[in-house]
Amino acid sequence: MSETIQADICVIGAGAGGLSVAAGASQMGARVVLFEKGAMGGDCLNVGCVPSKALLAAGHAAHSAPHAARYGVDVDVKAVDWARVRDHVQGVIAEIAPMDSVERYTGFGVRVVQAEARFAGPRTVEGGGLRVEAKFVVIATGSTPAVPPIPGLDGVPFLTNETVFDLEERPRRLLILGGGPIGCELAQAHARLGCEVVLVEAKSLLGNEDAEASEVVRLSLRRDGVEIHEGAAAVHAGPSGEAGVELLLSGEAGETVLKGSHLLVAVGRRVGFEGLDLGRAGIETDERGRLKLDRRLRTTNRRVFAVGDAAGGAQFTHLAGFHAGIVIRNALFRLPAESDPVLPRVTYTSPELASVGADEAALRERGEAFEVLRWPFAENDRAIAERDVAGFTKLYVSPKGRILGAVVVGTGAGEIVSLYTLAIAKKLKVADIAGLVVPYPTRAEVAKRAAGSWYVPKLFSARTRRIVRFLMRFA
C-alpha cells in the first residue's frame, strides 16, 4: 500500500535543473520530494558534460607532449593507455558524484525517492510506493540521444554519449555521425588519443555557429587527423567484417562507403515524456511533443513547471540552473519571474568556440544596422607567448555602440564569453569594455582591443590631429 505525504514541491528528475530546484527550495524551508529513476546527477554528470570534458583533457594532454618542442622542450611519448584514460574519466565522475548524491540532498532535507514517477492527478505524483500530494510539481526529466531513422541502423551496434565512455578498448576506427558540438568534441578527443576518426555531417560542421569561427575549428580537427565528410547524409548502415560497421553516404559528390570498427551517433538529443501520464495532470504538448509553456516555465497546468531540457529550448546545463531560479521565484515567492536569459554557448574543442547574443546572420535577416569589430589572437601577447594564436573575437555593435552579439574562437574562449554575456545582459556599450583595465598579459585583452577599435577611426582622424596640433600651441 502506498504511503501518502504532503510536499510543497515535488521534482521529477535529478539532473542539473531538478537538483538545483530541490537544493534551493529545501534550503529555503520548503518541503521537497525528489524522484529519480536513474543515476543522481543526470546526463551532465554521468554521460555528458563531465565525462566528455575529462576525455577532452586526456586528449589535450596527449596532444601537448609531442608539440612541446616548439617551446624548446623535447618529450618522449609512450602509447596512450586506454584503460587508464577510462579510469581517469570514471574517476572524475566519482569525484564529483558526492555533490549530487542522495546523502547530500537528504542532508538538505529533501526526501529522495529512487524510482520512476508518474502523475496521478493535477498535483499528485506516484512512484516507488510513495504518493506525493504537492503544491507545485517540477518536470526535470532531461533528454535522451536522438537516433535518426537510417535504414539498417537498428541492425548494427552503435554508441551514443550514454555508452561511449564505457568502452574498455580504444576504438580502432571510429565513425561519428553528427558534426555539432558533441560530435566535434568527441572526434577531437578520440583522434588525439590515437584513434582513426571519421566525422560525418549532413550539412556543415558546427552549422549553427559563425562560419568563420567554425572554419578555425574545422582546420584544427583536420590537423589532428580527423577525416571530415560534410554535405553528405548517411542513407544506410550495415555490418562490415567482424564486429565492424559500414555507412553509405549520399551527397553532391555522389555515394561514399565508410567502414569503421565503431559507430557513434551524435546527431542531437530528444525530449520525451513517456510514462509520466501527463494527461492525468492536465498537461498539454504541442504537435512536436514538446510541453506547452509560458514565459514563467509553467505548463498548461499552472501548478506544474518544466526546467532544463524538458522545457524544450536550448539543452545546456547552465540554462537548467537558470530555469531553477525562475521556478523558485515563482513557486516559493509568487514573483512573476520570466525566462528570457542572455545565453552563452561553448563548443569545447581546441580551440574553443563560444558565442552569445545575436549572430551576424540573424542581424542581417532582421535588417538591423550594425558594425563588426574584431581582434585576432595573433596580436595578443599572451597567445604569442604560448605559441597558440589560432582564432579571434568578433563583436556586433549597434550604431550607438551597444553590444548586440559576440563570438570568440580560440583557447579560453569559454571564459572570455562570460564578459560579453554580462555586457549584453546589462545593455553595456563598447565604451564599458574598452575602458576596462584588463590584466596583462591575458587572452581577455582581445575583448578590450576589439571594443577599443570602435574609436580608432575618430581618434586617429585628420580632425583629431588638427585639434591636437592646435592645443599644443598653447601648452
Side-chain angles (χ1 to χ4, degrees):
M1 187 174 185
S2 297
E3 174 190 0
T4 299
I5 64 172
Q6 306 296 314
D8 296 313
I9 295 182
C10 177
V11 181
I12 306 175
L19 289 176
S20 295
V21 172
S26 62
Q27 290 179 91
M28 291 176 183
R31 297 169 298 167
V32 180
V33 177
L34 172 64
F35 284 92
E36 174 53 60
K37 64 180 180 181
M40 295 287 287
D43 285 349
C44 182
L45 171 62
N46 299 288
V47 295
C49 311
V50 171
S52 65
K53 303 311 166 283
L55 191 69
L56 279 167
H60 295 340
H63 178 265
S64 296
H67 290 82
R70 60 185 171 179
Y71 307 114
V73 179
D74 293 321
V75 179
D76 291 328
V77 182
K78 296 182 179 179
V80 172
D81 187 331
W82 187 261
R84 290 170 60 196
V85 169
R86 183 174 179 274
D87 288 345
H88 152 69
V89 173
Q90 297 303 320
V92 170
I93 296 172
E95 190 170 338
I96 298 174
M99 300 296 292
D100 295 346
S101 65
V102 172
E103 293 76 15
R104 183 166 188 253
Y105 280 79
T106 299
F108 289 149
V110 178
R111 178 150 181 189
V112 180
V113 184
Q114 294 183 281
E116 185 174 5
R118 66 182 62 220
F119 285 96
R123 285 186 282 166
T124 303
V125 177
E126 292 181 340
L130 186 68
R131 181 182 178 91
V132 181
E133 296 175 350
K135 295 177 180 176
F136 298 95
V137 179
V138 179
I139 300 174
T141 46
S143 60
T144 57
V147 179
I150 298 173
L153 184 60
D154 57 356
V156 298
F158 61 87
L159 303 163
T160 68
N161 72 292
E162 294 183 347
T163 55
V164 69
F165 302 109
D166 293 327
L167 289 176
E168 295 184 358
E169 295 183 357
R170 178 173 57 190
R172 180 184 56 78
R173 182 173 171 82
L174 177 64
L175 308 182
I176 299 180
L177 201 56
I182 296 174
C184 288
E185 289 178 12
L186 292 179
Q188 187 172 57
H190 283 86
R192 290 185 166 188
L193 290 169
C195 306
E196 291 182 28
V197 178
V198 183
L199 184 58
V200 178
E201 168 54 47
K203 296 181 181 178
S204 60
L205 206 70
L206 297 174
N208 292 329
E209 300 295 345
D210 177 84
E212 187 183 4
S214 297
E215 177 63 13
V216 177
V217 176
R218 182 184 289 105
L219 290 174
S220 180
L221 291 175
R222 284 185 170 142
R223 281 194 297 269
D224 288 336
V226 177
E227 180 184 327
I228 300 174
H229 294 262
E230 296 178 85
V235 295
H236 190 270
S240 174
E242 187 176 347
V245 64
E246 180 177 293
L247 280 181
L248 174 62
L249 307 184
S250 179
E252 292 183 2
E255 292 188 341
T256 304
V257 176
L258 300 176
K259 295 183 179 183
S261 60
H262 296 73
L263 171 64
L264 169 63
V265 175
V267 296
R269 300 183 64 79
R270 63 173 292 273
V271 177
F273 305 100
E274 297 84 1
L276 279 180
D277 285 349
L278 297 179
R280 299 179 71 179
I283 299 170
E284 298 177 10
T285 58
D286 62 18
E287 65 280 357
R288 296 175 59 185
R290 299 174 302 184
L291 295 174
K292 294 182 179 179
L293 301 180
D294 64 13
R295 293 173 63 86
R296 294 164 65 176
L297 301 177
R298 298 178 300 182
T299 67
T300 49
N301 176 343
R302 293 296 185 254
R303 290 283 181 149
V304 179
F305 296 84
V307 300
D309 292 3
Q315 296 173 339
F316 299 131
T317 295
H318 47 286
L319 179 59
F322 175 83
H323 284 168
I326 297 296
V327 168
I328 287 174
R329 278 180 276 173
N330 275 280
L332 299 189
F333 299 104
R334 307 297 192 272
L335 298 173
E338 296 184 346
S339 179
D340 186 24
V342 175
L343 186 65
R345 60 184 184 271
V346 184
T347 299
Y348 294 94
T349 47
S350 177
E352 294 178 351
L353 196 168
S355 57
V356 64
D359 60 26
E360 188 168 352
L363 290 169
R364 294 192 187 283
E365 186 176 330
R366 297 201 297 255
E368 288 193 41
F370 67 96
E371 184 175 339
V372 180
L373 308 179
R374 59 181 298 132
W375 200 266
F377 280 106
E379 296 182 26
N380 175 268
D381 291 357
R382 179 64 176 273
I384 294 170
E386 294 175 344
R387 303 294 188 195
D388 184 9
V389 299
F392 56 86
T393 187
K394 285 202 293 193
L395 299 179
Y396 306 119
V397 181
S398 75
K400 293 186 177 180
R402 222 182 95 195
I403 300 170
L404 306 173
V407 175
V408 194
V409 60
T411 296
E415 309 295 336
I416 297 170
V417 78
S418 293
L419 172 61
Y420 293 142
T421 304
L422 177 65
I424 295 172
K426 297 302 180 182
K427 296 180 171 56
L428 301 182
K429 296 186 175 182
V430 288
D432 297 300
I433 293 181
L436 284 175
V437 178
V438 179
Y440 173 87
T442 60
R443 289 177 173 271
E445 286 183 286
V446 296
K448 178 181 172 70
R449 291 297 191 97
S453 69
W454 170 262
Y455 300 99
V456 168
K458 293 180 181 178
L459 283 176
F460 303 117
S461 65
R463 181 174 180 273
T464 300
R465 289 194 294 272
R466 289 195 299 269
I467 292 172
V468 169
R469 285 197 297 267
F470 175 76
L471 293 175
M472 287 300 97
R473 292 169 56 187
F474 303 99

